[in-house]
Amino acid sequence: SSQNLSEEFAEAARQLKKEAPRIQFGKIDVTHQHDLRKEFNIQAFPTVKFFVNGSREDPIDCKGVRKASAFITWVKRRTGPSTVLINSTDQAEAMIKAGDLAVIGFFRELHSDSVEVFCETARDVPEMPFGMTASEDVCASYGVQRNSLVVFKEGKPVHNEVLEDGRQSKLGLTRIIKTFTLDLITEYNIETSVKIFDVPVENHILLFTPMNSETFNEIYENYQSAAAQFRGKILFVLVDTNEARNGRIFEYFRIRDIDVPAVRILNLTSEARYKMPADEVTVENLKEFCQSYLNGKAKQHLPSEEIPQDWDKMPVKVLVGKNFNSVIF
């Protein structure tokens, strides 16, 4: 909530006052400051912007940061080195074991385009520690080929991304790394919805099913197998249709009890929705659906009610999605 974020922001300001007094924190209520709102194109609340070197031009947006510790890290990485330089295996181990997640870049040399993109990504993902190394010993002890990024979760490597100059973008790397802040499949509820929308993956697949059904375990395993293949490209979400508080999301997708289990893909940018053509939630059907969507071959699903039997009995005809095109055009 806005209130929470405001408190975390104030806490970050308090902590940084001692460490980095040059960095000033300020709060503005723009409800009456129309000129400021227009100048900085403030669309949503709260919005946090970082101004550098006393200039009003091109402030940097601070998105998706919600905790005081992440604000502090975000600001420090903008004003100093964004990654820790690792020279020994002990140092690497300490970082990997310090928290749940860590990201380490293993490089041939520390001056290249891919190092640049790695450091830029670190600035935008303050929730986890970033380290980089060009030490042969460190690379050898993890058996990692040089010029790759490795995500460690709970002390184990869970993802290895080969970095080629000019191939990866900051957004691409951010997308992959941030998916590891979520499980492979995220169950939708009030708490997780915030996290789901924080990960910059615009394609979401949703499985609607009662979690207490006899076939649930089998369906879930199939869903998990598909999720592993599309990590970073499509975010896999599970919606329990027995949970009354999920009513609004069923309405949005026009899901009825007789439709479940149902699978839909939503593109957050265009709000286009797609329905899995097959009824059975098998690994094969899921993979085919995701792949055809990513290849731009999936048909948009325009939810429509059935055509009423007496739609053309009266002078004013009744149109629904299913008969709109044929009648009008």
Side-chain angles (χ1 to χ4, degrees), residues 81-105:
S82 62
T83 61
V84 175
L85 190 56
I86 292 172
N87 296 313
S88 70
T89 308
D90 286 352
Q91 234 183 322
E93 275 301 290
M95 177 178 279
I96 291 162
K97 292 196 167 134
D100 188 29
L101 286 157
V103 182
I104 297 181

Side-chain angles (χ1 to χ4, degrees), residues 83-97 101-107 118 122 128-135 138-139 142 144-153 155 157 159-163 177:
T83 61
V84 175
L85 190 56
I86 292 172
N87 296 313
S88 70
T89 308
D90 286 352
Q91 234 183 322
E93 275 301 290
M95 177 178 279
I96 291 162
K97 292 196 167 134
L101 286 157
V103 182
I104 297 181
F106 296 86
F107 296 102
F118 180 79
M128 51 187 96
F130 275 68
M132 64 178 182
T133 187
S135 148
V138 178
C139 295
Y142 288 98
V144 174
Q145 78 177 86
R146 317 289 278 280
N147 276 19
S148 47
L149 170 159
V150 180
V151 180
F152 292 87
K153 188 164 183 150
H159 183 79
N160 187 325
E161 182 82 10
V162 176
L163 300 173
I177 293 164

Side-chain angles (χ1 to χ4, degrees), residues 28-164:
I28 299 174
D29 178 355
V30 287
T31 37
H32 307 298
Q33 308 274 348
H34 296 298
D35 294 350
L36 276 181
R37 192 170 168 176
K38 200 167 155 197
E39 180 184 350
F40 299 117
N41 189 24
I42 308 292
Q43 307 276 348
F45 300 103
T47 293
V48 178
K49 288 184 182 281
F50 187 51
F51 294 84
V52 185
N53 295 335
S55 165
R56 293 172 84 105
E57 303 299 311
D58 302 323
I60 303 157
D61 275 318
C62 177
K63 288 186 183 137
V65 177
R66 288 185 161 67
K67 291 262 173 280
S69 56
F71 272 122
I72 292 167
T73 307
W74 191 90
V75 168
K76 281 183 173 173
R77 287 183 187 176
R78 294 257 169 232
T79 51
S82 62
T83 61
V84 175
L85 190 56
I86 292 172
N87 296 313
S88 70
T89 308
D90 286 352
Q91 234 183 322
E93 275 301 290
M95 177 178 279
I96 291 162
K97 292 196 167 134
D100 188 29
L101 286 157
V103 182
I104 297 181
F106 296 86
F107 296 102
R108 272 189 214 93
E109 37 130 15
L110 294 176
H111 302 285
S112 67
D113 288 352
S114 47
V115 171
E116 189 80 14
V117 173
F118 180 79
C119 292
E120 280 177 13
T121 306
R123 283 188 200 116
D124 272 0
V125 187
E127 309 93 307
M128 51 187 96
F130 275 68
M132 64 178 182
T133 187
S135 148
E136 273 183 55
D137 292 350
V138 178
C139 295
S141 63
Y142 288 98
V144 174
Q145 78 177 86
R146 317 289 278 280
N147 276 19
S148 47
L149 170 159
V150 180
V151 180
F152 292 87
K153 188 164 183 150
E154 292 166 3
K156 296 183 189 72
V158 287
H159 183 79
N160 187 325
E161 182 82 10
V162 176
L163 300 173
E164 289 171 21

Side-chain angles (χ1 to χ4, degrees), residues 144-309:
V144 174
Q145 78 177 86
R146 317 289 278 280
N147 276 19
S148 47
L149 170 159
V150 180
V151 180
F152 292 87
K153 188 164 183 150
E154 292 166 3
K156 296 183 189 72
V158 287
H159 183 79
N160 187 325
E161 182 82 10
V162 176
L163 300 173
E164 289 171 21
D165 278 359
R167 205 186 114 215
Q168 277 91 354
S169 67
K170 178 181 75 169
L171 181 64
L173 289 184
T174 304
R175 199 171 272 155
I176 289 162
I177 293 164
K178 276 210 170 197
T179 58
F180 288 96
T181 60
L182 295 172
D183 294 327
L184 205 48
I185 295 171
T186 306
E187 189 193 332
Y188 180 89
N189 57 40
I190 305 300
E191 289 76 47
T192 59
S193 62
V194 170
K195 278 172 130 184
I196 290 168
F197 293 112
D198 261 356
V199 174
V201 175
E202 64 171 358
N203 308 314
H204 289 188
I205 187 167
L206 301 98
L207 166 63
F208 294 86
T209 184
M211 283 172 68
N212 63 354
S213 76
E214 286 155 33
T215 53
F216 176 71
N217 287 350
E218 188 191 334
I219 288 174
Y220 188 80
E221 271 176 35
N222 295 344
Y223 200 53
Q224 207 158 17
S225 300
Q229 293 211 346
F230 293 96
R231 184 158 218 160
K233 296 190 183 88
I234 301 177
L235 204 65
F236 277 63
V237 178
L238 169 68
V239 184
D240 183 2
T241 54
N242 280 341
E243 175 52 74
R245 284 176 301 185
N246 291 337
R248 280 175 61 193
I249 197 167
F250 309 147
E251 273 171 36
Y252 180 75
F253 285 94
R254 300 266 180 96
I255 302 279
R256 299 162 304 171
D257 288 346
I258 56 164
D259 296 330
V260 302
V263 178
R264 301 282 188 273
I265 284 178
L266 169 69
N267 178 292
L268 294 191
T269 310
S270 64
E271 288 201 20
R273 283 163 265 184
Y274 304 81
K275 177 184 179 182
M276 186 166 80
D279 285 334
E280 295 223 354
V281 185
T282 62
V283 180
E284 225 22 72
N285 289 341
L286 286 163
K287 278 170 24 186
E288 205 169 295
F289 180 40
C290 291
Q291 205 49 65
S292 74
Y293 168 73
L294 291 174
N295 295 344
K297 299 222 162 57
K299 276 202 182 77
Q300 258 202 64
H301 178 56
L302 303 166
S304 170
E305 52 207 286
E306 293 306 317
I307 301 168
Q309 280 177 327

